[in-house]
Amino acid sequence: MNSQKDESKSLWIWYPGDFEIRLHEKMSIKRRARDVMYPVFWRLDRHYSNIQFRYTYDLPEEETVKISAEGEFSLYLDGKDNFRFNDSILTLPAGCHEIRISVFNDTDAPALFIEGQHVYTNSSWQVTSYQNEWKQVGSWTFDSLENRPSCFRLETVPQEPVSEQLHQGFPLFDFGRETFGYLRFHRIKGFGAVRIFYGESLAEALSSQECYSLDQFQVKDDKTGPKNGREIYTVKEAKAFRYVWIQADPEITWERISMLYEYVPVKYQSSFECSDPRINEIYNMSLYTLHLNTREFFIDGIKRDRWVWSGDAYQSFLMNYYSFFDLDVTRRTLIALRGKDPLVMHCNTILDYSLYWFVSIYDYYQYTGDLEFIEQYYDRAVTLMEFCLAQRNPEGLLEGRPEDWVFVDWAGFENTGAVSSIQLLLARSLESMSLFAHLLGYETDSVTYGKLSSELKDKTIELFWDDTQGGLLHHRTEGVTRLTLTKHASIFALAYDYLTAEQRHSIIQNVMLNAEVPKIRTPYMRFHELAVLCENGQHEHVLSEIRSYWGGMIELGATTFWEEYDPSLKNDAHYGMYGVTFGKSLCHAWGASPIYLIGKYFLGITPLSPGYESYSIQPNLGGLEHMKGTVPTGKGKVTVEMDGAMIRVESTYGLGTLSFVSADIPECAETEVVSSGRGWYKVNIEPEKVYMITYKK
């Protein structure tokens, strides 16, 4: 699946975002609970069924082109409305002319494909949905009649079970680790019923009454099911599982069972290896967990929910930048989450998830430098921000409406009134909008967004800071800030650098490292918690937490990381959630956060300017004896190796600054080492060179 568009040849084009929005619609109804559809509970936007493309050409002589469309099309030249064509082969006259082509399709996103020597479809065309706007078209790598948008599918590869045994007289298959795909029966024979029970855990597969996923079909000689003796029968719906328990009527037999593993063929561009085998295992399992949840979009979990959630995706984006650096899935997810106007509900119905969308766009620009994408969807950012700002209360604080879900985290506290975490996310979102407006030349808007952000930051600190408890209180109702202290607002204030040095120190000691403050329960918010602890020098503590928390799941037999882990639970109680016996997702994207933590805070690689034109390397062993790893940077990669006496750095793109602490004056034969004071030193890193620095830990 090549992600590079070739603009020298024809590409399928469509209204920007419509391919992704239609794909999201299809994806959002794939979830099944015991073989019954379980669609998303928010509005699913649709593609525009009726659109028009335009293109102006100047030809020295007439040219014959081939025209194809996903849908019904009508072409006319130079506004001659009564001279329309729907011929697939058409000769265009010489000279300067404007083509307009209307395409209608009410079942899939309308798309156009023109092949010609000089006139062909690519991203230089414009399109309208007849709402008084012309936009740059959307396009991707669909470049032939066989490779068209409506035929987009993920790739598959056969996999075999690692073991088979009988349980209560029926075969139980183990595929060795969590996987996702379609079960297959080879040479199935007989007549009767087949019932399949899937499990992420053994206990789930063996619970025919309560397992989350199942299949059932009849073997017979008609078109409704697999025929007797068919070479291979593949079940219709892909499932997440490790174990499969199959109960078939006595007459049914088969030669063997296999599966088609379904996946996005991302490239594993990162690596990490250190002196602690458990940390190595955690890192590699995190990569596999993220990969399983990297699909048409970044989804939350492959069993439940298989939906695109903005808060989950925000973390997947960051993990992706430190692993696969796959921008196709990233862009598809950002587009699908935003959806279309008019807005009546927040992303996924969750107030904070609308704000995560802005922060995700900001991060996308920092890691990629792709301003063209920002520009193409800026208008949707503007209307989403207008929607959010309209919900401010008389104090200027953002509040949830009765129909909104103010999430923050799965924790036992009230999110009524003005929640401090929400204000900080809004302030960051306004900062992002200020930057985008500035980059795109909307200076008045940039100043307005910046002013709103600054005022909101100051007001939030003023209203929610508590000197007695040394941190930010949780929420404010009826004009009164309640005395509930949680870690969440303090985490965001630290992450966005909204505090004084004294306040930062107070939060670390009195909130983040205070056992009396309620603990974070899920990997979702642990992502944020451990990141800010690293940013404040707590690497050894963070490494210990990773070893304990993620290592605890491995001790219980996990092959991918879970939606939630509570070490106090026993046996099969680990698998329950939401009041459902096996409701917990055992392969959840937010469980893969060690990828991000290790890449950014231990290998220490961070972009300083958009697209890694310049970047920082600040490695930290965190108590490890040695480590070595590589982080992708889009156009290149950075490799860092470190032990207690040596640092080795190599890069292929951009200008880096290596910063580190040394007890003695360090040495580097390749370049000058500059003192930054207080035991800190810097080395400038140029691409395609290897730097060896000796230092004292």
Side-chain angles (χ1 to χ4, degrees):
M1 191 180 298
N2 185 1
S3 65
Q4 297 299 316
K5 292 187 292 186
D6 184 356
E7 295 287 17
S8 66
K9 64 179 181 180
S10 302
L11 295 170
W12 283 94
I13 58 175
W14 53 81
Y15 190 89
D18 270 11
F19 162 70
E20 295 84 355
I21 286 170
R22 174 58 177 147
L23 187 63
H24 181 235
E25 183 181 37
K26 295 176 185 177
M27 177 75 178
S28 297
I29 61 166
K30 286 188 175 181
R31 177 180 175 183
R32 297 287 187 272
R34 294 189 64 80
D35 208 28
V36 177
M37 182 181 69
Y38 193 146
V40 296
F41 50 80
W42 50 83
R43 183 185 80 188
L44 285 176
D45 289 325
R46 296 218 80 197
H47 59 272
Y48 294 119
S49 60
N50 188 32
I51 62 175
Q52 187 178 92
F53 300 95
R54 73 178 181 185
Y55 180 74
T56 300
Y57 70 81
D58 192 353
L59 291 174
E61 56 186 31
E62 65 179 23
E63 176 172 311
T64 299
V65 297
K66 183 177 181 181
I67 305 170
S68 303
E70 298 243 73
E72 185 178 359
F73 77 88
S74 171
L75 178 150
Y76 63 105
L77 287 172
D78 302 325
K80 296 179 180 179
D81 196 49
N82 202 35
F83 292 87
R84 290 178 175 265
F85 307 89
N86 62 0
D87 304 303
S88 59
I89 305 293
L90 188 67
T91 299
L92 300 175
C96 185
H97 299 276
E98 183 191 61
I99 305 173
R100 294 206 180 193
I101 304 177
S102 299
V103 182
F104 173 81
N105 190 334
D106 61 351
T107 58
D108 247 306
L112 181 67
F113 186 73
I114 296 181
E115 300 169 276
Q117 184 178 358
H118 300 97
V119 177
Y120 51 87
T121 45
N122 60 21
S123 63
S124 64
W125 287 58
Q126 291 185 312
V127 65
T128 181
S129 60
Y130 299 100
Q131 297 182 90
N132 298 318
E133 94 293 11
W134 285 97
K135 294 179 175 292
Q136 178 187 354
V137 296
S139 62
W140 188 38
T141 57
F142 303 112
D143 57 5
S144 70
L145 294 180
E146 296 74 28
N147 181 25
R148 56 178 65 212
S150 64
C151 296
F152 174 71
R153 299 291 185 274
L154 302 186
E155 295 193 15
T156 58
V157 64
Q159 286 186 350
E160 302 292 329
V162 298
S163 69
E164 176 185 353
Q165 62 180 345
L166 288 179
H167 181 80
Q168 296 180 4
F170 296 108
L172 171 70
F173 297 90
D174 178 4
F175 283 81
R177 62 175 180 172
E178 180 97 10
T179 188
F180 185 91
Y182 305 84
L183 200 66
R184 301 201 301 177
F185 293 76
H186 297 255
R187 294 186 180 277
I188 190 167
K189 295 181 179 180
F191 297 89
V194 178
R195 294 164 293 279
I196 309 167
F197 306 99
Y198 300 90
E200 291 187 303
S201 64
L202 177 60
E204 182 180 15
L206 295 179
S207 179
S208 57
Q209 297 302 311
E210 296 191 75
C211 67
Y212 197 86
S213 300
L214 56 83
D215 270 315
Q216 48 193 341
F217 59 85
Q218 296 285 328
V219 181
K220 50 189 175 182
D221 279 326
D222 65 22
K223 295 181 180 180
T224 64
K227 290 185 178 180
N228 177 25
R230 178 182 290 186
E231 185 71 25
I232 298 178
Y233 173 68
T234 305
V235 300
K236 295 179 181 179
E237 298 287 341
K239 300 289 196 302
F241 59 91
R242 173 180 171 177
Y243 300 94
V244 181
W245 192 28
I246 304 176
Q247 299 182 11
D249 286 350
E251 293 184 7
I252 304 294
T253 62
W254 54 80
E255 186 177 278
R256 65 186 179 91
I257 296 292
S258 69
M259 70 166 295
L260 282 178
Y261 170 56
E262 187 181 61
Y263 68 104
V264 175
V266 296
K267 182 178 180 181
Y268 282 54
Q269 300 196 66
S270 70
S271 64
F272 182 77
E273 185 178 0
C274 70
S275 54
D276 187 333
R278 178 46 57 89
I279 297 297
N280 296 336
E281 187 177 9
I282 289 169
Y283 182 83
N284 291 324
M285 193 179 292
S286 296
L287 285 175
Y288 183 61
T289 300
L290 180 62
H291 191 183
L292 283 173
N293 289 287
T294 302
R295 303 187 55 74
E296 294 92 338
F297 309 94
F298 286 116
I299 60 173
D300 60 334
I302 56 173
K303 179 182 79 173
R304 205 226 77 243
D305 305 328
R306 294 179 65 187
W307 292 344
V308 185
W309 295 92
S310 182
D312 304 56
Y314 166 72
Q315 297 185 13
S316 292
F317 295 143
L318 291 172
M319 298 173 211
N320 173 58
Y321 299 137
Y322 284 91
S323 55
F324 315 135
F325 215 97
D326 189 300
L327 301 186
D328 295 328
V329 180
T330 301
R331 286 187 285 256
R332 287 201 298 267
T333 305
L334 287 167
I335 294 167
L337 280 168
R338 174 54 186 85
K340 293 195 171 186
D341 293 328
L343 286 162
V344 295
M345 291 294 291
H346 287 284
C347 292
N348 312 122
T349 76
I350 301 177
L351 175 57
D352 21 331
Y353 278 24
S354 287
L355 304 177
Y356 276 124
W357 186 84
F358 293 104
V359 183
S360 297
I361 289 281
Y362 174 85
D363 289 337
Y364 174 82
Y365 177 66
Q366 293 304 314
Y367 281 93
T368 68
D370 182 3
L371 185 58
E372 181 182 350
F373 180 80
I374 304 297
E375 182 175 14
Q376 192 167 25
Y377 295 97
Y378 177 73
D379 58 341
R380 300 189 194 186
V382 170
T383 51
L384 179 57
M385 180 54 74
E386 290 172 349
F387 179 73
C388 292
L389 292 176
Q391 286 186 223
R392 290 173 295 173
N393 67 17
E395 291 186 299
L397 302 176
L398 181 59
E399 289 192 13
R401 305 166 300 176
E403 62 267 35
D404 295 333
W405 179 5
V406 182
F407 174 58
V408 183
D409 189 18
W410 292 118
F413 46 67
E414 291 291 329
N415 288 325
T416 53
V419 178
S420 51
S421 301
I422 299 298
Q423 314 315 312
L424 297 174
L425 282 168
L426 176 58
R428 185 63 162 181
S429 300
L430 286 163
E431 283 183 352
S432 303
M433 287 300 295
S434 179
L435 171 65
F436 302 152
H438 169 70
L439 292 170
L440 298 174
Y442 306 120
E443 290 301 333
T444 301
D445 292 341
S446 178
V447 171
T448 299
Y449 288 131
K451 185 172 182 291
L452 287 172
S453 176
S454 180
E455 291 173 348
L456 182 58
K457 282 186 289 186
D458 292 344
K459 180 172 291 185
T460 301
I461 301 301
E462 174 190 345
L463 292 177
F464 291 93
W465 182 265
D466 183 75
D467 282 324
T468 303
Q469 299 188 70
L472 289 162
L473 300 177
H474 180 65
H475 69 148
R476 180 177 174 86
T477 59
E478 299 177 348
V480 177
T481 302
R482 306 302 169 179
L483 296 179
T484 303
L485 179 70
T486 66
K487 293 184 176 182
H488 300 77
S490 294
I491 286 172
F492 291 118
L494 286 169
Y496 302 147
D497 197 21
Y498 290 170
L499 302 167
T500 65
E502 292 78 13
Q503 288 171 329
R504 293 181 74 91
H505 178 75
S506 175
I507 281 179
I508 293 297
Q509 299 303 317
N510 297 314
V511 181
M512 304 306 298
L513 300 178
N514 184 354
E516 300 300 317
V517 178
K519 292 183 177 181
I520 302 294
R521 290 173 48 194
T522 64
Y524 172 69
M525 194 53 64
R526 282 216 162 200
F527 174 96
H528 300 281
E529 178 188 27
L530 297 181
V532 298
L533 285 172
C534 283
E535 289 183 2
N536 288 273
Q538 301 293 321
H539 290 73
E540 291 195 29
H541 174 79
V542 169
L543 199 65
S544 176
E545 287 292 300
I546 292 175
R547 193 180 290 113
S548 171
Y549 190 83
W550 280 266
M553 287 184 259
I554 292 176
E555 289 291 330
L556 291 172
T559 60
T560 51
F561 290 122
W562 304 348
E563 182 176 13
E564 181 189 51
Y565 168 57
D566 182 349
S568 69
L569 297 177
K570 302 296 183 183
N571 303 321
D572 294 350
H574 281 287
Y575 306 136
M577 204 167 178
Y578 311 111
V580 179
T581 304
F582 297 102
K584 184 180 295 180
S585 166
L586 301 190
C587 179
H588 220 70
W590 71 35
S593 55
I595 297 170
Y596 174 71
L597 297 170
I598 287 171
K600 184 172 183 179
Y601 297 112
F602 288 84
L603 295 175
I605 300 165
T606 311
L608 294 177
S609 57
Y612 278 98
E613 294 294 328
S614 62
Y615 59 90
S616 169
I617 311 171
Q618 191 170 314
N620 193 310
L621 287 167
L624 296 170
E625 294 178 8
H626 62 80
M627 65 179 181
K628 179 180 180 180
T630 297
V631 167
T633 59
K635 296 178 182 178
K637 62 182 180 180
V638 180
T639 299
V640 176
E641 186 173 0
M642 185 182 192
D643 60 25
M646 177 276 298
I647 304 173
R648 182 185 183 276
V649 177
E650 183 178 6
S651 71
T652 62
Y653 178 81
L655 299 176
T657 301
L658 170 67
S659 301
F660 60 97
V661 174
S662 179
D664 289 341
I665 297 175
E667 296 181 359
C668 179
E670 294 77 23
T671 190
E672 180 184 10
V673 179
V674 178
S675 173
S676 304
R678 297 186 178 182
W680 280 91
Y681 295 87
K682 289 186 177 181
V683 174
N684 291 327
I685 306 296
E686 296 181 6
E688 307 298 345
K689 295 182 179 180
V690 177
Y691 296 84
M692 298 285 294
I693 300 98
T694 57
Y695 80 111
K696 185 175 181 181
K697 184 179 174 182

